[in-house]
């Protein structure tokens, strides 16, 4: 019986994960938990109860506003962490992609395997956040269940583009700038911590085209039941529209680099 | 031509360019099933570039290439499915155990897990690493890693096994263990294709080989053939002391068939080395040391290119 190629690539990553799962899983829980507690409770105590804030947040507590957004940001941060150095390393340092390329696997199967691995990796981290949200009475909601795959879709967009970037680089010199100049600003301005509407008018359209904002809105919409079907479809559509070209680029760059 | 006689590798005017640079400059190669075939040449000759094209991981620039009668441009995955590969640089997973490295690799070929486990154990036995099977690859010596890479390349029971410099950088003992394993594979009928810049390795393992230099094939034949064709039966090596060898060229003239003056020694090519040495003594020349040996592929290479293989 045959197993999909991407699953067979995933098996290798899972064996590696088995060696480091303790620290890795604890950390991926810890970071969003700290954000949730630190921001949710700290900022929440400043914000909650003021009528102007309540209007801006859409009549929910700050914790309720923030929590779902963290699903999407966690997916993005995990994607960035696992798709820069590890991807370049697979070509350059440990040669794991090169080893795969010598087998019957094709470049696009290697890409799919890498995406599947990232989905699992992000799933672990996002799942951690989801558990925190489910435990907190303010954010507890069945909507968390569909919000998790929504966050993963958002994370896959970042996986695709960041992987494409890393796969087309000869050196890692640009990687810390990707973190500093792309990921961190998105994290801060992508609508997870406050409504994009409270940004200066000039900056708002930037938030609207970035995939993170759509991911955040989608997660929040599911969790707080605050979005209509059309809006949701719109956000999914934008995310898919981002994902496809990133994926195509990955296929190209992997093929070009593995078979040259 | 029956299926059995179909060459496993057939290359015509095979060329590989990297940008403007031509690494492989139009080579013709035929390898028959069950044969063990070598590419002998110095660094930069184009051996790895050729091997990578054969392995279906590097598109050819021009010419034709057929592996198992298939075109790698369109049937890459199918070809790779039937090949075993030992790349020049090991790319094992250092953090995984030996056993897991083999299983994971077998899974890339979609071999069922249970089958992977049993093949992996069998192959660890074959390369004499069973006792380390649950250790991490990181902890292995260079020779052990090479053996593990060989085991890994055999996971899919390949019809043809490609080895790019299998023993470069290994100590003599590790090399002999490896040669022994490869010799066994050869006896089992596996087609071996290897590159090397060690002539003793080529002599040990290859039925037939091509000598490559600067992207071209400069000679082809069995090791014996090549030696008979391009060298004498024996070689007399004379050392007159550092930097002084060239001075003796004139005074040695006429001894043996041919002289080759290197920086550290003079080589006298003669069918009877002892007779040549007597003639040297008769002429009153007193080298610091002298040695009569059989001709090797090194001499063939020197003759063909004017350069030493391992410089
Ligand atoms: N990917 C590459 N890009 C550019 N030049 C390359 C590449 N691979 C090999 N070369 C060049 O091609 C020549 C032949 O290299 P190679 O096939 O590795 O030789 P060998 O294996 O015989 O040492 C060398 O000059 C090398 O620098
Ligand atoms: Mg090489």
């Amino acid at each position: 019986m045959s197993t999909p190629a991407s699953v067979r690539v995933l098996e290798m990553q899972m064996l590696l994960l088995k060696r480091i799962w303790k620290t890795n899983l604890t950390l991926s829980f810890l970071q969003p938990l700290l954000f949730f507690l630190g921001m949710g409770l700290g900022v929440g105590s400043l914000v909650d109860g003021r009528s102007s804030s309540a209007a801006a947040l859409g009549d929910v507590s700050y914790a309720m506003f923030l929590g779902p957004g963290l699903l999407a940001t966690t997916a993005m941060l995990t994607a960035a962490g696992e798709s820069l150095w590890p991807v370049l390393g697979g070509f350059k340092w440990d040669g794991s992609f090169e080893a795969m390329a010598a087998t019957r696997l094709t470049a696009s199967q290697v890409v799919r395997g890498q995406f599947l691995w990232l989905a699992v990796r992000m799933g672990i981290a996002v799942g951690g956040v989801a558990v925190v949200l489910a435990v907190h009475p303010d954010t507890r909601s069945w909507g968390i269940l569909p919000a998790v795959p929504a966050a993963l879709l958002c994370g896959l967009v970042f996986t695709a583009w960041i992987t494409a970037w890393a796969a087309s680089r000869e050196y890692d010199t640009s990687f810390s700038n990707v973190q500093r100049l792309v990921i961190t600003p998105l994290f801060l301005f992508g609508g997870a911590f406050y409504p994009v509407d409270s940004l200066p008018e000039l900056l708002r359209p930037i938030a609207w085209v970035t995939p993170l904002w759509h991911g955040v809105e989608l997660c929040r919409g599911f969790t707080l039941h605050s979005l209509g079907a059309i809006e949701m479809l719109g956000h999914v559509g934008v995310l898919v529209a981002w994902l496809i070209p990133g994926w195509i680029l990955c296929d190209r760059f992997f093929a070009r680099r593995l078979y040259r | 031509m029956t299926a059995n006689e179909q060459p496993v590798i057939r290359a015509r005017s095979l060329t590989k360019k990297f940008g403007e640079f031509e690494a492989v400059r139009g080579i013709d190669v035929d390898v028959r099933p069950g044969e063990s075939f070598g590419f002998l040449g110095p660094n930069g000759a184009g051996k790895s570039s050729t091997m990578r094209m054969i392995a279906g991981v590097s598109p050819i620039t021009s010419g034709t290439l057929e592996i198992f009668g298939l075109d790698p441009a369109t049937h890459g995955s199918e070809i790779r499915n039937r090949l075993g590969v030992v790349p020049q640089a090991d790319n094992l997973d250092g953090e995984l155990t030996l056993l897991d490295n083999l299983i994971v690799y077998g899974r890339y070929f979609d071999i069922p897990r249970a089958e992977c486990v049993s093949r992996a154990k069998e192959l660890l036995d074959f390369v004499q690493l069973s006792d380390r099977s649950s250790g991490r690859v990181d902890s292995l010596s260079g020779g052990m890693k090479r053996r593990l890479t060989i085991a890994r390349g055999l996971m899919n029971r390949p019809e043809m096994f490609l080895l790019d410099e299998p023993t470069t950088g290994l100590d003599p003992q590790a090399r002999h263990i490896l040669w022994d394993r490869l010799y066994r594979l050869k006896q089992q009928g596996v087609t071996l294709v290897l590159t090397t810049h060690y002539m003793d390795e080529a002599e040990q393992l290859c039925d037939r080989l091509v000598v490559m230099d600067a992207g071209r094939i400069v000679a082809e034949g069995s090791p014996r053939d090549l030696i008979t064709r391009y060298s004498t039966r024996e070689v007399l090596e004379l050392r007159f002391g550092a930097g002084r060898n060239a001075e003796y060229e004139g005074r040695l003239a006429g001894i043996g068939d041919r002289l080759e003056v290197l920086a550290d020694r003079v080589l006298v090519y003669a069918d009877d080395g002892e007779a040549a040495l007597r003639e040297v003594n008769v002429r009153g020349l007193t080298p610091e040391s002298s040695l009569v040996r059989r001709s090797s592929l090194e001499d063939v290479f020197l003759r063909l290119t004017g350069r030493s293989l391992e410089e």
Side-chain angles (χ1 to χ4, degrees):
Chain A
M1 212 183 57
S2 118
T3 314
S6 48
V7 175
R8 292 183 270 115
V9 173
L10 176 69
E11 287 173 16
M12 182 274 287
Q13 298 282 10
M14 295 310 282
L15 283 173
L16 282 176
L17 182 67
K18 220 163 72 183
R19 305 196 69 94
I20 49 160
W21 69 274
K22 278 185 198 134
T23 45
N24 210 311
L25 293 197
T26 325
L27 282 182
S28 60
F29 258 96
L30 204 62
Q31 207 209 21
L33 182 65
L34 286 179
F35 264 109
F36 187 60
L37 294 178
M39 301 291 288
L41 305 182
V43 178
S45 69
L46 283 175
V47 169
D48 291 341
R50 291 172 51 175
S51 56
S52 64
S53 327
L57 297 179
D59 281 325
V60 296
S61 74
Y62 186 65
M64 289 169 82
F65 178 84
L66 171 70
L70 291 180
L71 295 168
T73 59
T74 299
M76 176 185 77
L77 293 179
T78 310
E82 298 288 332
S83 306
L84 287 166
W85 285 276
V87 167
L88 188 60
F91 291 109
K92 264 187 96 133
W93 300 310
D94 58 62
S96 56
F97 292 141
E98 184 196 67
M100 293 177 200
T103 71
R104 66 182 262 187
L105 293 173
T106 63
S108 57
Q109 288 174 332
V110 174
V111 170
R112 259 177 278 159
Q114 180 68 15
F115 283 18
L116 183 62
W117 153 239
L118 257 291
V120 169
R121 185 67 195 79
M122 292 186 296
I124 293 166
V126 172
V129 183
V131 168
V132 173
L133 298 188
V135 168
H136 196 284
D138 272 8
T139 46
R140 190 176 303 153
S141 150
W142 287 113
I144 294 172
L145 291 180
V148 168
L152 294 187
L153 173 61
C154 172
L156 275 179
V157 171
F158 287 97
T159 300
W161 284 91
I162 296 171
T163 299
W165 177 261
S168 58
R169 296 305 98 187
E170 215 44 65
Y171 304 100
D172 67 350
T173 39
S174 62
F175 287 5
S176 36
N177 282 337
V178 171
Q179 295 270 24
R180 270 194 293 260
L181 304 179
V182 180
I183 302 302
T184 305
L186 281 176
F187 180 64
L188 295 174
F189 296 100
F193 296 99
Y194 45 81
V196 165
D197 292 339
S198 32
L199 283 174
E201 211 154 338
L202 219 66
L203 285 177
R204 279 179 228 167
I206 299 178
W208 292 333
V209 295
T210 62
L212 183 63
W213 179 72
H214 294 278
V216 166
E217 284 294 299
L218 207 49
C219 290
R220 192 174 283 142
F222 276 123
T223 313
L224 306 181
H225 310 290
S226 57
L227 282 187
I230 302 288
E231 284 166 297
M232 292 211 175
L233 276 178
H235 290 306
V236 170
V238 173
L239 289 175
V240 171
W242 269 103
L243 178 58
I244 289 169
W247 197 320
I248 291 172
L249 283 180
C250 281
D251 274 1
R252 286 245 174 100
F253 292 157
F254 270 61
R256 197 196 291 168
R257 190 154 191 172
L258 290 174
Y259 302 110
R260 65 179 171 191
Chain B
M1 199 182 258
T2 70
N4 245 352
E5 284 165 29
Q6 183 187 45
V8 281
I9 302 176
R10 184 177 186 281
R12 292 291 175 273
S13 312
L14 180 61
T15 303
K16 181 74 192 184
K17 280 188 181 181
F18 296 105
E20 283 304 295
F21 178 75
E22 214 172 2
V24 179
R25 306 175 169 214
I27 61 171
D28 294 352
V29 178
D30 283 291
V31 177
R32 289 182 294 275
E35 200 175 17
S36 64
F37 185 89
F39 291 92
L40 177 72
N43 276 332
K47 304 183 298 295
S48 294
S49 303
T50 304
M51 285 295 254
R52 287 177 42 80
M53 288 191 280
I54 294 171
V57 296
S58 172
I60 72 173
T61 305
S62 65
T64 59
L65 178 64
E66 282 173 16
I67 311 297
F68 308 124
L70 300 169
D71 178 357
T74 52
H75 293 76
S77 173
E78 201 177 328
I79 290 169
R80 296 194 298 274
N81 196 33
R82 297 162 66 180
L83 287 179
V85 177
V86 174
Q88 184 168 349
D90 285 324
N91 53 20
L92 296 159
D93 212 315
E95 287 174 41
L96 294 182
T97 65
L98 278 66
L99 194 64
D100 281 346
N101 259 279
L102 299 191
I103 294 171
V104 156
Y105 199 76
R107 294 292 289 148
Y108 294 158
F109 290 94
D110 205 9
I111 299 162
R113 171 164 288 277
E115 176 68 20
C116 282
V117 175
S118 77
R119 283 192 199 182
K121 288 184 172 158
E122 197 179 290
L123 285 166
L124 283 175
D125 230 22
F126 175 68
V127 296
Q128 296 162 314
L129 288 170
S130 292
D131 51 329
R132 326 246 337 197
S133 71
S134 55
R136 273 170 62 134
V137 166
D138 279 343
S139 66
L140 298 182
S141 71
M144 290 173 172
K145 282 187 182 156
R146 227 48 197 142
R147 265 143 64 199
L148 184 62
T149 306
I150 286 176
R152 191 183 69 171
L154 293 170
M155 278 298 286
N156 59 325
R157 306 235 163 107
E159 293 161 54
M160 174 161 69
F161 201 29
L162 307 177
L163 301 115
D164 197 354
E165 304 207 9
T167 66
T168 299
L170 301 188
D171 60 61
Q173 196 198 347
R175 293 175 72 200
H176 278 100
I177 298 177
L178 239 140
W179 286 350
D180 171 60
R181 297 296 104 177
L182 294 178
Y183 195 76
R184 278 173 204 234
L185 286 176
K186 179 167 142 55
Q187 283 178 317
Q188 289 167 21
V190 178
T191 310
L192 292 182
V193 177
L194 58 101
T195 77
T196 181
H197 57 242
Y198 297 123
M199 55 276 157
D200 49 347
E201 185 157 287
E203 285 187 39
Q204 288 260 343
L205 295 175
C206 301
D207 303 327
R208 205 156 59 83
L209 58 97
V210 291
V211 179
M212 275 188 89
D213 186 39
R216 291 204 171 82
I217 290 176
V218 290
E220 178 181 349
S222 72
R224 272 289 112 213
D225 266 3
L226 289 171
I227 291 167
T228 338
R229 220 181 316 150
Y230 295 101
S231 189
T232 48
R233 206 172 66 86
E234 293 185 334
V235 187
L236 169 63
E237 296 201 4
L238 302 171
R239 289 166 202 268
F240 291 98
R244 301 184 48 215
N245 294 302
E247 299 168 19
Y248 286 85
E249 188 169 8
R251 298 170 69 185
L252 290 166
I255 305 179
D257 289 8
R258 197 164 54 83
L259 287 181
E260 195 80 59
V261 182
L262 305 180
D264 60 336
R265 66 214 136 114
V266 180
L267 305 179
V268 180
Y269 288 92
D271 283 327
D272 184 346
E274 291 298 341
L277 181 57
R278 280 194 298 277
E279 176 69 25
V280 170
N281 292 330
V282 166
R283 291 193 189 183
L285 303 175
T286 48
E288 284 175 5
S289 74
S290 62
L291 163 81
V292 175
R293 60 166 175 83
R294 294 172 67 82
S295 255
S296 75
L297 287 171
E298 173 79 44
D299 302 301
V300 173
F301 189 80
L302 199 60
R303 176 70 193 274
L304 288 167
T305 68
R307 281 175 297 118
S308 167
L309 258 172
E310 295 180 64
E311 62 196 7

